[in-house]
Amino acid sequence: MKHHEVEILDAKTREKLCFLDKVEPHATIAEIKNLFTKNHPQWYPARQSLRLDPKGKSLKDEDVLQKLPVGTTATLYFRDLGAQISWVTVFLTEYAGPLFIYLLFYFRVPFIYGHKYDFTSSRHTVVHLACICHSFHYIKRLLETLFVHRFSHGTMPLRNIFKNCTYYWGFAAWMAYYINHPLYTPPTYGAQQVKLALAIFVICQLGNFSIHMALRDLRPAGSKTRKIPYPTKNPFTWLFLLVSCPNYTYEVGSWIGFAIMTQCLPVALFSLVGFTQMTIWAKGKHRSYLKEFRDYPPLRMPIIPFLL
């Protein structure tokens, strides 16, 4: 068997960082990362981005050396991704925060609304219903993180946890402050508005969960296999006929329902910001599907049927 030689250079300075000889031709990028770590322990595999061009895309861990457009002497460029943290840890942290923070305002703990309101309860039914819906949403997210989601990437940059938590925790506090405020006024159209909004919220939560289960079933445990998602016998998954990321469609729908229920401006702004971000993600995933699968259904849009 003819072995390869792998030279690893810094993508910015072009400084030689490592030279690996007698690398087997069927070695994967993941295995090369492990060899690189032996020379530079401070850069564990999850921190490494190896590429064929200094400004090119990162090679996948499962890419095989002999299948890359390189000779028997390969030059790879290294970029440090920074300190990493697992996706599970990030999700658990960013979702547990809003659950806890919202309840602080709901129970009106001291120093929030004034001494005379400490541990008092709202007389409006919608306030209690909103707490149930908000808590259910984040408990659902926590349980899905632990038992449903299968991540294609094990880690993400540590800095992201601060950005994500600021977003989720900050909006949770802002929403909860007004919804649970002693001077909060119920929705304009009363019980009818609340019931309609609750129906939207519940349907979208069920839809979101159904999509997550369908996506999980597409990827075997421990695999990074990607397949085209199709509708199943579950009616909530039929939205796959029209959009690539119905989980985002249902997620936005849930928050729209919550905004109608509470008639609260911070909730509406949270829904708008969330929709903007999820649209960006959905467009990215839609482009990836189109690029990867030639037979991808042409009628699908990223997030909103027929529009976007």
Side-chain angles (χ1 to χ4, degrees):
M1 181 188 302
K2 190 172 183 179
H3 290 81
H4 284 55
E5 295 176 339
V6 179
E7 181 182 47
I8 300 178
L9 308 181
D10 188 292
K12 293 182 179 179
T13 65
R14 308 297 191 274
E15 174 189 355
K16 182 187 289 187
L17 299 176
C18 181
F19 183 82
L20 306 173
D21 60 352
K22 295 183 180 180
V23 179
E24 296 183 357
H26 58 265
T28 62
I29 292 298
E31 291 170 337
I32 292 174
K33 286 182 177 181
N34 288 326
L35 294 173
F36 181 64
T37 299
K38 292 180 179 179
N39 289 274
H40 298 278
Q42 73 274 26
W43 291 320
Y44 45 89
R47 286 189 71 141
Q48 300 174 33
S49 168
L50 297 180
R51 51 195 74 185
L52 296 174
D53 182 87
K55 296 182 180 180
K57 293 184 177 180
S58 298
L59 295 169
K60 298 178 181 179
D61 283 350
E62 58 268 26
D63 286 340
V64 178
L65 184 59
Q66 66 180 357
K67 294 183 180 181
L68 298 175
V70 297
T72 54
T73 299
T75 300
L76 301 180
Y77 295 90
F78 162 82
R79 186 178 292 274
D80 182 13
L81 297 176
Q84 300 288 299
I85 187 171
S86 74
W87 277 89
V88 172
T89 301
V90 172
F91 278 8
L92 292 179
T93 305
E94 67 186 33
Y95 296 157
L99 177 63
F100 176 72
I101 290 170
Y102 193 100
L103 292 175
L104 293 178
F105 288 89
Y106 175 74
F107 290 112
R108 296 177 179 172
V109 298
F111 310 112
I112 294 181
Y113 297 117
H115 181 67
K116 70 175 182 177
Y117 296 112
D118 290 353
F119 299 112
T120 58
S121 179
S122 174
R123 58 189 176 87
H124 302 301
T125 302
V126 66
V127 172
H128 306 297
L129 186 60
C131 180
I132 293 172
C133 290
H134 189 274
S135 299
F136 173 82
H137 175 76
Y138 282 103
I139 289 172
K140 167 182 164 293
R141 281 194 168 191
L142 289 168
L143 292 175
E144 285 177 337
T145 299
L146 291 172
F147 303 111
V148 177
H149 293 320
R150 289 173 179 165
F151 302 98
S152 57
H153 299 286
T155 65
M156 67 189 301
L158 177 62
R159 62 181 177 275
N160 284 9
I161 195 172
F162 301 104
K163 178 181 65 177
N164 292 8
C165 287
T166 297
Y167 168 71
Y168 282 105
W169 296 17
F171 262 114
W174 193 22
M175 291 188 295
Y177 176 81
Y178 285 101
I179 295 172
N180 297 288
H181 198 285
L183 300 180
Y184 170 79
T185 54
T188 303
Y189 297 100
Q192 288 184 332
Q193 181 173 334
V194 173
K195 289 178 182 177
L196 173 62
L198 178 61
I200 294 172
F201 179 85
V202 172
I203 290 171
C204 288
Q205 286 289 285
L206 290 172
N208 180 263
F209 175 73
S210 298
I211 299 301
H212 286 162
M213 291 297 294
L215 291 174
R216 185 200 66 168
D217 293 340
L218 280 180
R219 176 178 293 163
S223 168
K224 294 185 178 181
T225 302
R226 282 171 57 88
K227 301 178 182 177
I228 299 177
Y230 286 105
T232 66
K233 295 180 180 179
N234 183 339
F236 287 109
T237 67
W238 295 352
L239 198 52
F240 269 126
L241 293 170
L242 301 175
V243 296
S244 294
C245 301
N247 51 323
Y248 294 152
T249 310
Y250 283 124
E251 179 76 9
V252 172
S254 294
W255 286 109
I256 290 174
F258 194 70
I260 295 172
M261 178 192 301
T262 58
Q263 199 169 296
C264 182
L265 180 60
V267 181
L269 291 176
F270 180 69
S271 303
L272 178 60
V273 174
F275 170 68
T276 302
Q277 180 61 70
M278 282 183 271
T279 298
I280 294 172
W281 290 337
K283 285 183 174 180
K285 290 188 176 182
H286 185 71
R287 284 193 298 269
S288 296
Y289 282 138
L290 290 173
K291 184 178 180 180
E292 187 171 353
F293 304 107
R294 292 184 178 181
D295 57 341
Y296 193 71
L299 292 179
R300 292 188 189 180
M301 298 296 287
I303 188 170
I304 300 179
F306 310 115
L307 294 176
L308 183 66

